Amino acid sequence: METNFRSATLLWLTCLSMTLQAQEQPTMTLGSLWQEVEHNYPGLQAQQALVTSKASQQQAVKSQALPQFKIQAQNSYGTFEGSNGAFFPQAGFFNVSGNPDLLTGTDQTFNTFGSAVVEWEVFAFGKQQQENQAAQAQYQQQVAQKEAYILQLKKELALRHIQNLYATANCDWMNKNADRLKSIKSITEGLALSGLKPTADNLLAQSSYLQAAGQQSYWKGNRQATHIALTELVGNSIDTLDANHVRHFLSFPLHETYTSTAAETVEHPLLTQYKQEASYFEHSSKSIARAGLPSIKLLGGYAIRGTGIQAHTATDKWKDGFSNSVDNYLVGVGITWNFSSLLTNQHKKKALNKQTESAEKKHQTYEQALQTNIEASQVQLKEQVHQLQQTHQAIVHATEAYTMYMARYKSGLITLSELLQIQQLLEQAEKTHIEATQQYWKQLVTAATLTADFDFLFTNL
């Protein structure tokens, strides 16, 4: 029986502990807010559309290696008087063949023509391969750009959430301060009515309370404004922060330490973006250089032609334009080489090489700055934790001192000005702790942005 009682007691204590922990942990974390942003924010959808666009461009570049198949069909009506001479076959010409002097009938007739041509570039000194790699680099660059955008969006969300928590904490702080001053005002009012204290004490206490009440209105408006700014990113209405959130915001840094879960092998999105940018320019440069070399193509074609011209007679009837048909096919190998592009492509190659060099230098510059900023951020975080521990202890001592001085004032041992000075010290200690907490969380955001790892903040903020 005693064993059952102990087991039931242990179970009850365990459930009570779990309930208290659930009450202390805020329900609306930064991670839950980010899930809403991922689902609703149109900026992310715009970035995904750009990635999909680059993927389609990559497939379009790859499809250029496939045989190019062209087909045409014509039905025309016109003269067929031939002419002697020579010409360059530039775009925009049309062909006429015939001799009206040897034919009877009309000098106008219908014609029918259809053709299908296949052209397959089988060898171009690796130009197509370089174009494919350039398209792949451009796609990866867009993916990295999207990841960098997501990283900045996470940073903006975290900062707005911190601002909302900061404004709520200040609002609660000013409420407590106003309550203390209201209590002092009530005490001075009673002492003044009983003749134990001068009326000036009551007026001074009332003046201090009214100032605190004005600050209450300011922080209330600030809290509402930061809440609206946070809602703009989330896309849906969110609950107002409660005392649990503020308590967690202020006390969490006192007993937890920041640890990044990002693997050392994971590259920052901006570094990846510069790296892929350099790769794109490099492969584009090689593709331009090889475009000046000849290309070898397999050619094949089939054509069918009909005309209204008989053996010795020409007719202008539409149906006769499909008669007297002849068909031909042609296959072969062709080599094309644009010599004049050699000089032009050489200049284009130099320009792309310089762009490659620029992207590589940007990568090196950001990599060096990133590592330095990460080290500086870790040092600053460590010192800020020490600051928070000291400001928290200062609040404890100031609260104890205020309680003792309040008792001495009630006993007539000190003046109201001395009590208000102690109250201001307590007020300043609380304010300093709130400011230090805000700076700690902001520094965590900076560290998370530098390491591209927001897991810690998503879980604990």
Side-chain angles (χ1 to χ4, degrees), residues 326-365:
V326 294
D327 58 280
N328 293 280
Y329 69 89
L330 188 67
V331 294
V333 178
I335 299 178
T336 58
W337 193 353
N338 185 359
F339 285 97
S340 62
S341 67
L342 290 175
L343 181 60
T344 304
N345 289 350
Q346 189 65 24
H347 291 300
K348 290 181 179 179
K349 178 184 176 182
K350 288 181 180 179
L352 289 170
N353 285 340
K354 287 301 180 182
Q355 288 179 303
T356 303
E357 182 181 351
S358 174
E360 289 174 348
K361 294 302 180 183
K362 285 191 291 185
H363 182 277
Q364 294 175 7
T365 302

Side-chain angles (χ1 to χ4, degrees), residues 297-315:
K297 301 178 181 179
L298 293 179
L299 304 172
Y302 176 80
I304 184 170
R305 184 169 184 173
T307 179
I309 301 176
Q310 307 292 335
H312 300 286
T313 306
T315 175

